[in-house]
Amino acid sequence: MGSGPTYTAFRPLDPKAPLMNGSRIPGLILPAVFLLALVAGVCWYWRHRGDE
């Protein structure tokens, strides 16, 4: 057994590899846009819930 945890799932296999590359950007932006739209929709609903 090693002396401590090795976080291989969070480290690139190649130590010289960049931490981020272009193919990961849509996977980060799309959920953020979805959550922002969801929060905006909830806020809009909360402000207009008593309108008729």
Side-chain angles (χ1 to χ4, degrees):
M1 297 232 182
S3 62
T6 59
Y7 298 101
T8 56
F10 300 108
R11 282 187 302 173
L13 295 177
D14 182 9
K16 290 178 256 172
L19 293 176
M20 293 291 295
N21 56 16
S23 65
R24 299 187 80 180
I25 291 174
L28 296 173
I29 291 178
L30 292 177
V33 169
F34 176 76
L35 287 175
L36 182 63
L38 186 66
V39 168
V42 168
C43 289
W44 181 87
Y45 171 76
W46 192 257
R47 289 182 59 125
H48 296 284
R49 67 187 186 277
D51 293 350
E52 291 200 24

